[in-house]
Amino acid sequence: MQPTPYQVRTHNASTESENRMHSDDVARQFGFKGGLVPGVTVFSHMTQPLVARYGEAWLARGTAEVSFAKPAYEGELLTIHTADEANGAHTLTCLNEQGVELARMSATLPATAGKPDARSNIPPAPPQAERPTVTWDLMEVNNPFPALAWSPTREDNLVWCRDNRDELALYREGPTPPLHPGFILRQANFVLRKRFVLPAWIHAASRITFFEAARVGADYEVRAIPEEKWNHKGHEFVRLYVAVRCGQHTVAEVLHTAIFRPRVRAV
């Protein structure tokens, strides 16, 4: 018997974000009907059934690979279906009220945590005086970004949970509860934003692996290295290798795919 679907009314909390793809006016210029709900928000919704089922174990050694096919919009009722596969993996799908599949995710809970990629130990670039506007040539493959410092507080985590309509108790219990996985994934966006000015861009996919549970109150360093870039149908894509580190430990790593320069819609 498959788990009961999880439903949530999504919210675009990023209308004032530097990424104007979350605003109605700019998103419409690219052919969307309104501002896009962030991909990390949709991902956050899709993790709720996993964390409800496995608790902190999934946050400490789980994996997830998500891809976004269609956008979600403010106020839509989303339904997350979870299918248990024979190999112990799970396939999760996110559908809107019209039954359109917006995102698909595969997830696992290995018996033991894996080991981080060796790239997590590559030193970041030094801080930069200013951020240039992103271009194809400036997005240099294998050239590390400056690191992003991140010190999430309990209140930061609670705000993320509230904005993403996640009521699970474990994010609220004890003196140092675990960070929400969507909040962790969001830092892959922020380390990209720290390197460049990106007027409008789209989160396309991510693969995230957890090595230990990240918690409120700790200091983290987020490192990123572009591993590939490509052009498809006029869109300029990048895939980043991202490591979220606490001291000498890598707590999570992400392969993060974004359209950093979307094709301009023909008038």
Side-chain angles (χ1 to χ4, degrees):
M1 184 176 180
Q2 298 297 341
T4 302
Y6 167 65
Q7 289 192 309
V8 58
R9 195 164 294 281
T10 195
H11 171 53
N12 179 9
S14 297
T15 56
E16 301 302 317
S17 166
E18 183 178 300
N19 181 4
R20 302 312 295 152
M21 199 63 81
H22 301 308
S23 66
D24 289 339
D25 54 345
V26 172
R28 287 174 181 144
Q29 294 174 22
F30 286 89
F32 300 105
K33 69 179 185 180
L36 278 58
V37 169
V40 290
T41 293
V42 176
F43 170 78
S44 292
H45 298 327
M46 296 179 79
T47 66
Q48 198 276 355
L50 296 168
V51 180
R53 183 169 180 174
Y54 296 114
E56 197 170 305
W58 190 76
L59 300 173
R61 62 178 191 275
T63 74
E65 185 165 3
V66 63
S67 60
F68 305 104
K70 300 286 184 180
Y73 297 100
E74 170 65 30
E76 287 190 313
L77 181 65
L78 305 183
T79 302
I80 313 301
H81 294 274
T82 305
D84 295 343
E85 309 295 346
N87 60 0
H90 309 286
T91 299
L92 298 97
T93 53
C94 175
L95 279 62
N96 64 14
E97 293 172 81
Q98 291 71 47
V100 175
E101 184 176 306
L102 307 184
R104 178 172 289 260
M105 185 167 82
S106 59
T108 67
L109 180 62
T112 59
K115 293 184 178 180
D117 191 294
R119 288 176 292 178
S120 65
N121 293 316
I122 295 176
Q128 54 194 32
E130 58 183 30
R131 296 181 300 151
T133 299
V134 71
T135 66
W136 177 264
D137 290 338
L138 287 176
M139 187 67 77
E140 296 178 309
V141 172
N142 297 325
N143 191 11
F145 288 179
L148 170 71
W150 181 41
S151 300
T153 67
R154 185 186 186 91
E155 181 59 26
D156 293 335
N157 203 39
L158 290 174
V159 168
W160 182 262
C161 291
R162 287 196 294 268
D163 284 346
N164 289 276
R165 312 298 196 245
D166 196 323
E167 300 298 328
L168 290 176
L170 88 167
Y171 300 123
R172 297 162 171 83
E173 295 175 340
T176 56
L179 293 170
H180 195 287
F183 196 18
I184 297 170
L185 184 60
R186 189 189 197 194
Q187 306 317 306
N189 289 339
F190 280 5
V191 74
L192 175 60
R193 192 183 72 178
K194 182 179 175 66
R195 173 67 180 90
F196 295 113
V197 174
L198 300 101
W201 58 284
I202 299 171
H203 180 188
S206 290
R207 188 174 80 199
I208 188 166
T209 303
F210 300 106
F211 303 107
E212 59 184 80
R215 299 187 178 280
V216 303
D219 296 324
Y220 297 94
E221 181 185 69
V222 185
R223 299 179 178 182
I225 305 171
E227 69 169 32
E228 187 177 359
K229 64 179 181 179
W230 65 96
N231 191 302
H232 181 65
K233 295 183 178 180
H235 299 300
E236 294 179 6
F237 287 78
V238 65
R239 184 168 60 243
L240 302 177
Y241 169 77
V242 179
V244 181
R245 294 170 59 89
C246 185
Q248 299 302 309
H249 299 276
T250 297
V251 301
E253 64 182 13
V254 184
L255 291 181
H256 198 60
T257 303
I259 302 173
F260 66 93
R261 293 182 67 189
R263 180 187 65 243
V264 177
R265 189 185 187 194
V267 178

